[in-house]
Amino acid sequence: MGDIFLACKITKIKAREVLDSRGNPTVEVQIFSKDKNASAIVPSGASTGIHEAHELRDGGSRYMGKGVQKALKNVKIIEKSLKGMDACAQKEIDNAMIALDNTENKSRLGANAILGVSMAAARLASECKKMPLYKHIAALYKNKRLLLPVPFCNIINGGKHAGGKLRMQEFMVVPNRAKSFSEAAQLVSETYHILKGIIEKKYGKSAVNVGDEGGFAPPLTKAEEALTLITKAINEAGYEKKISIALDPAASEFYNKNSIYLLHKQFTSEKLAEHYIRLSNKYNIISIEDPFEQDDFSSFSALMKKARFQIVGDDLLVTNTKRIISAAEKRLCNALLLKVNQIGTLTESLAAARLSMDHGWKVMVSHRSGETEDSFISDLASGIGCGQIKLGAPCRSDRTSKYNRLLRIEEELGSKARYARF
Ligand code: PEP
Ligand code: MG
């Protein structure tokens, strides 16, 4: 026991500025023990919720104001208080950073500085314990049921991630009837490539350029157009019994102060709810995330009474236990979108997942639109056994790194690997 403690003692913390998938700077943290080191890279959103923890950027002209040198300096401040701590003591590490920051939204040190340390500490601990990260996370979460998650794969990108006229942000395929994660990856990849052919034939070659999450961004205006293309691709692939559809409209992005939702035409919240129900009846939609603006609680609650699909809270909940408690009381949704950088530490992310599961909700671990080669979320989803992960299209290394990590985890687990059902 003493040996393990010594091996996990933090001796040094280093941070550097690296680039994310949009070419913007982000924080990479590397933590050292006597004979080991581990690193982690922080992701970054575009359609960020207003209640998210603070992502610290430098301002000024360097990197158009997006530099993270201030966050790197803050990692040096964090280093002083964490040096000598046990990397395996995730809660103590995260609580020490929360106390040091001492703000509601991590605006002093920056959630990006804090999260980089939190994730890298978990990786170092897993190295020290000589176990894969997903097993270490399972131990932290006290979960005995490792589970390969069903991927939610965004193959048509709209909204802020694409820049066209299609206002809803994400059109996802969900291989919820696959038998394994590897089969799921195959079904999604084949469907993605069939969709590419369909779009190219109808709209020309430039229409298959991809958006921030690797999905296509053809010149569409209505959700129906995207859903028709995707349904055609699923049918042509022959996977209509194995693949369903999910949406993330990210409605905070097309809501205006007069309580109007501006899609291809104007919708009141009541009309928008009817629109979702109609779409879900016509297409095989099993899940809708952020159907309304993040503080439009009455619309969430009204939809919950009518909908048969899963309703996921992203901007609504921002992985924050206070907002989860309030949303559960008001019955606003029945699933948490878990994004580690919305809250800023692994410990608080695990608490958000636990609280959601205790309320009988589902949990979907999620990437951000600005991602990196770091596949931490694949281990996180497998470790907590939540059964769902959102990871973009099976295209571009920032997205495929997550698929590939899950494929390796499945191989490593061998006959013990279990794929979730939805
Ligand atoms: C999302 O809205 O769920 C998402 C992944 O986008 P972003 O990272 O831009 O918030
Ligand atoms: Mg979202």
Side-chain angles (χ1 to χ4, degrees), residues 22 44-49 52 161 169-170 213 248 250 289-290 314-315 337 339 342 366-370 390:
R22 282 191 278 252
S44 173
S47 63
T48 45
E52 292 194 21
H161 300 163
Q169 182 177 280
E170 299 175 23
E213 296 187 352
D248 177 9
E289 177 185 324
D290 281 355
D314 171 14
D315 293 355
L337 195 79
K339 289 170 164 170
Q342 280 183 331
S366 175
H367 67 162
R368 297 307 306 243
S369 52
K390 190 165 94 147

Side-chain angles (χ1 to χ4, degrees), residues 28 164 171 259:
E28 178 174 48
F171 296 82
S259 303

Side-chain angles (χ1 to χ4, degrees), residues 249 269-270 272-278 280 288-292 296-312 331-334:
S269 57
E270 290 78 16
L272 186 56
E274 284 169 20
H275 186 51
Y276 291 134
I277 302 276
R278 211 171 30 246
S280 73
I288 301 187
E289 177 185 324
D290 281 355
F292 302 103
D296 186 2
F297 299 155
S298 57
S299 301
F300 273 95
S301 138
L303 185 63
M304 269 288 282
K305 293 190 183 108
K306 290 189 209 139
R308 287 204 303 263
F309 44 81
Q310 170 175 271
I311 298 179
V312 186
R331 295 179 188 275
L332 304 186
C333 61
N334 52 20

Side-chain angles (χ1 to χ4, degrees), residues 368-394:
R368 297 307 306 243
S369 52
E371 267 296 335
T372 70
E373 63 270 34
D374 194 318
S375 57
F376 191 95
I377 58 165
S378 300
D379 287 75
L380 176 60
S382 307
I384 66 171
C386 61
Q388 301 183 32
I389 189 168
K390 190 165 94 147
L391 30 64

Side-chain angles (χ1 to χ4, degrees), residues 313-371:
D314 171 14
D315 293 355
L316 173 72
L317 303 171
V318 292
T319 317
N320 182 316
T321 48
K322 285 189 189 141
R323 285 190 66 96
I324 293 168
I325 291 168
S326 152
E329 272 168 20
K330 298 187 179 80
R331 295 179 188 275
L332 304 186
C333 61
N334 52 20
L336 163 74
L337 195 79
L338 196 164
K339 289 170 164 170
V340 282
N341 79 323
Q342 280 183 331
I343 190 67
T345 65
L346 177 58
T347 299
E348 289 164 291
S349 302
L350 296 181
R354 174 65 68 216
L355 187 62
S356 301
M357 288 185 189
D358 286 350
H359 278 109
W361 290 2
K362 299 290 183 199
V363 174
M364 186 190 296
V365 167
S366 175
H367 67 162
R368 297 307 306 243
S369 52
E371 267 296 335

